[in-house]
Amino acid sequence: TTLFRSQIEPSGTIAWRSGDDPQVPGGGGSVWPEVGRRLQERLSVPVAFVNVAVGGSSLADWNPGDENFLRMVKVIVALQPQSVRAILWHQGESDGKNSETYYYRNLKGLIAAVTNRTGGRRLRWMIATASYDGHHAHQQIRAAQQELCAEGLAVPGPDTDVIGPDGRESTGVHRSEEHTTEL
């Protein structure tokens, strides 16, 4: 089977492509091609990712009704009824100024709003522990992400805060291309 990725075209259609990097137009390396290959080997099923990520976005940029939220919902609805298996949430690096309560409430609200807007379908969410902003990890964001998983609203994803400076791009935030296969 072939690993695929998609991107949303300006027309709103979904264009499927090979699952190689870069996953985000103009972006560098990511873990997703390797994750997809490993999932295919383990599960013996085709794997595809639909990338709706927005680099540098804060949780506030995903408020229900805003552009990022509406694009995510549009993709989920377009791929129903069976195609979307999970939402892989890797975000938090831009929220270091926010409190644990703020991040927790707003991500919990986002999960509920996505469920509501997609016809009540409860999708599985995997939340990465991601708060490293290029200088340090933000414990309150980590705690909020972990609390949502402990409550059963999501399953825990990778802890990408543990990636050292040698494994990151020049911004210090995202993984460098040469370190994308270290899972």
Side-chain angles (χ1 to χ4, degrees):
T1 45
T2 304
L3 172 67
F4 291 100
R5 71 174 172 93
S6 74
Q7 76 182 46
I8 309 305
E9 299 295 324
S11 65
T13 60
I14 298 173
W16 294 97
R17 293 177 171 64
S18 169
D20 299 325
D21 275 323
Q23 292 290 305
V24 178
S30 71
V31 298
W32 302 117
E34 184 63 20
V35 168
R37 278 188 277 284
R38 289 185 188 193
L39 283 171
Q40 282 180 199
E41 289 171 7
R42 184 174 176 192
L43 303 174
S44 298
V45 297
V47 173
F49 294 103
V50 180
N51 192 336
V52 296
V54 178
S57 64
S58 69
L59 190 52
D61 295 323
W62 294 88
N63 284 330
D66 288 350
E67 180 182 349
N68 295 338
F69 172 84
L70 293 174
R71 189 176 72 257
M72 179 169 50
V73 167
K74 182 177 184 178
V75 166
I76 293 167
V77 170
L79 293 173
Q80 282 186 357
Q82 70 278 0
S83 294
V84 178
R85 302 282 306 263
I87 294 174
L88 309 174
W89 187 258
H90 186 277
Q91 185 280 332
E93 304 95 324
S94 298
D95 282 295
K97 68 182 183 312
N98 293 317
S99 71
E100 179 179 342
T101 301
Y102 169 89
Y103 193 89
Y104 169 86
R105 283 184 186 161
N106 284 280
L107 186 49
K108 184 177 181 177
L110 175 62
I111 293 169
V114 168
T115 300
N116 184 47
R117 288 293 293 269
T118 58
R121 184 167 174 231
R122 181 123 159 65
L123 297 168
R124 291 190 71 181
W125 285 66
M126 175 184 280
I127 299 175
T129 304
S131 72
Y132 187 82
D133 65 5
H135 304 290
H136 62 279
H138 295 275
Q139 295 307 313
Q140 77 279 15
I141 303 303
R142 293 174 58 80
Q145 292 163 339
Q146 293 165 356
E147 185 177 350
L148 288 161
C149 294
E151 288 184 10
L153 293 172
V155 296
D159 183 346
T160 59
D161 285 350
V162 300
I163 300 168
D166 292 344
R168 297 181 181 270
E169 292 180 333
S170 61
T171 63
V173 177
H174 296 113
R175 190 172 260 203
S176 64
E177 190 167 356
E178 52 277 355
H179 290 92
T180 58
T181 58
E182 298 171 7
L183 297 176

